[in-house]
Amino acid sequence: MTTFETYLDARNGTVLDDDLVVVLRNIAEATRQISDKLRTSSLDGLTGSTEVTNVQGETQKPLDILSNDIMLEACRRSASVSFAVSEELDTEVAIHADGKYAVIFDPLDGSSNLDVNVTVGTIFSVIRATTADDILKSGRGQLIAGYAAYGPQTGLVLTIGQGVQMFTLNDEGVYMLTNADAKIVPEAKEFAINAARRSSWDDAVAAYIEDAIDNGHNMRWVGSMVADTHRIFNRGGVFLYPADRNKPASGGRLRLLYEANPIGLLVEAAGGAAIIGTTTILDIEPTSLHQRVPVIFGSKTEVDKISAAYQERV
Ligand code: AHG
Ligand code: MN
Ligand code: MN
Ligand code: MN
């Protein structure tokens, strides 16, 4: 079975130059370290919440901070990294003055699940950036996107510009290639949405969900975008976090740069679709680091239905 290392070696010389191989190797090592820390967090006093509120207005969990530190260390170990952007940091952090790649990440996604032992993840994106001004670019410009899913297994899902590869961490701490060309099935009868927020849905989403329920679709909502995404990669489905119709300026809950864009690139690379309504996620021109957007992605047939529901209402 192919290991992560042998996979990187085979891809070296494509979009993946020697420098990016080092960046990816260090990110993979960071996810291994985060996975280890999660396994025994209750024994190490890494549960509960801190007194600190992050730039999102969220109370930081100890593992949010620890995962962020581990990801920052991975960036510092990579000589070609110019900047790091994180959900947990107010602004971009300069790493190496002569760097040429920015690493943009959500160090721990699904933090509300940490103390209840439910799958969480790390989401990352790598773009070309020599100055801070290069960071705010549309998702189509991403060189690499991926996530680690920390569940019963630790999985790593990655696109380096040629489809999507899935790896599974073995008990020696080696990521083994378990799917060399992951595809999201176009048809599915399962949706993921936080139904408690129904009063905030716009008409297009409300109509799609009502129709899905009338046609016997099932619902799953983990509260961790990475966990819901990983299910969609493995059995199809559609994920929706729409904007709040009562607070349209808020843009929704999820963040463009380190949640919507990397997941959007992975989903499209696997034959799925990722939209905010009538436009695709990857074509949005960002205006700020922590900008929030509505997010709808997954099985193409279902996303196309939702897109049509928006088109009918423009
Ligand atoms: P994070 O833990 O990185 O802040 O992200 C949490 C996000 C996403 O992972 C999840 O899908 C969503 O928040 C859950 O939102 P609700 O709690 O509103 O359901
Ligand atoms: Mn958060
Ligand atoms: Mn997140
Ligand atoms: Mn997070």
Side-chain angles (χ1 to χ4, degrees):
M1 193 180 249
T2 304
T3 67
F4 183 69
E5 278 301 324
T6 47
Y7 174 74
L8 290 187
D9 290 346
R11 292 298 318 282
N12 198 341
T14 58
V15 70
L16 204 62
D17 61 15
D18 289 345
D19 290 325
L20 273 180
V21 167
V22 169
V23 174
L24 263 180
R25 189 176 288 141
N26 287 328
I27 290 173
E29 174 53 27
T31 65
R32 272 190 289 263
Q33 290 173 20
I34 293 168
S35 179
D36 282 348
K37 290 296 178 193
L38 287 167
R39 301 260 166 264
T40 56
S41 56
S42 302
L43 304 174
D44 306 336
L46 289 171
T47 54
S49 292
T50 69
E51 301 295 311
V52 181
T53 302
N54 65 12
V55 65
Q56 319 289 338
E58 301 165 344
T59 301
Q60 283 184 317
K61 304 279 176 83
L63 280 164
D64 279 325
I65 297 168
L66 182 57
S67 303
N68 190 60
D69 291 344
I70 291 172
M71 286 295 286
L72 278 176
E73 183 54 27
C75 294
R76 290 190 191 101
R77 287 211 187 117
S78 310
S80 65
V81 172
S82 49
F83 294 95
V85 172
S86 169
E87 176 199 344
E88 304 302 338
L89 299 171
D90 295 17
T91 63
E92 71 278 350
V93 172
I95 302 290
H96 299 295
D98 56 350
K100 57 185 177 178
Y101 299 117
V103 180
I104 303 169
F105 53 88
D106 176 357
L108 206 60
D109 173 67
S111 308
S112 64
N113 286 328
L114 283 170
D115 293 355
V116 296
N117 200 19
V118 170
T119 297
V120 293
T122 297
I123 311 171
F124 56 89
S125 166
V126 183
I127 63 169
R128 218 173 249 94
T130 49
T131 69
D133 289 345
D134 296 336
I135 292 170
L136 292 181
K137 66 172 79 166
S138 79
R140 292 236 178 268
Q142 296 173 100
L143 297 171
I144 291 171
Y147 65 80
Y150 310 112
Q153 299 182 96
T154 290
L156 182 67
V157 178
L158 193 59
T159 183
I160 315 178
Q162 266 193 357
V164 173
Q165 286 71 47
M166 300 174 98
F167 300 84
T168 303
L169 197 64
N170 73 10
D171 44 21
E172 278 100 46
V174 177
Y175 276 118
M176 305 304 288
L177 183 63
T178 37
N179 188 336
D181 188 20
K183 292 290 180 218
I184 295 177
V185 292
E187 310 282 341
K189 298 192 77 162
E190 195 161 64
F191 61 87
I193 194 166
N194 179 343
R197 304 174 59 81
R198 187 179 58 196
S199 61
S200 72
W201 299 344
D202 57 39
D203 295 343
V205 167
Y208 171 77
I209 296 296
E210 186 175 350
D211 180 65
I213 292 171
D214 290 348
N215 284 283
H217 289 209
N218 188 33
M219 183 188 126
R220 285 282 180 274
W221 184 255
V222 182
S224 161
M225 180 187 198
V226 165
D228 286 314
T229 303
H230 205 61
R231 186 188 57 254
I232 289 170
F233 266 95
N234 283 289
R235 69 183 194 213
V238 62
F239 175 103
L240 306 90
Y241 208 116
D244 182 337
R245 67 181 306 150
N246 309 311
K247 287 181 266 175
S250 70
R253 158 118 197 219
L254 299 176
R255 286 59 56 115
L256 176 60
L257 259 60
Y258 38 81
E259 290 174 317
N261 269 347
I263 299 299
L265 193 74
L266 285 163
V267 166
E268 286 201 2
I275 63 172
I276 65 166
T278 53
T279 56
T280 58
I281 288 175
L282 294 178
D283 294 318
I284 299 170
E285 290 298 336
T287 51
S288 67
L289 287 184
H290 301 293
Q291 171 178 351
R292 296 172 190 260
V293 291
V295 171
I296 297 165
F297 65 81
S299 293
K300 183 142 179 33
T301 305
E302 294 308 304
V303 176
D304 287 351
K305 280 184 203 166
I306 299 165
S307 179
Y310 276 101
Q311 292 293 355
E312 287 158 20
R313 291 167 172 80
V314 291

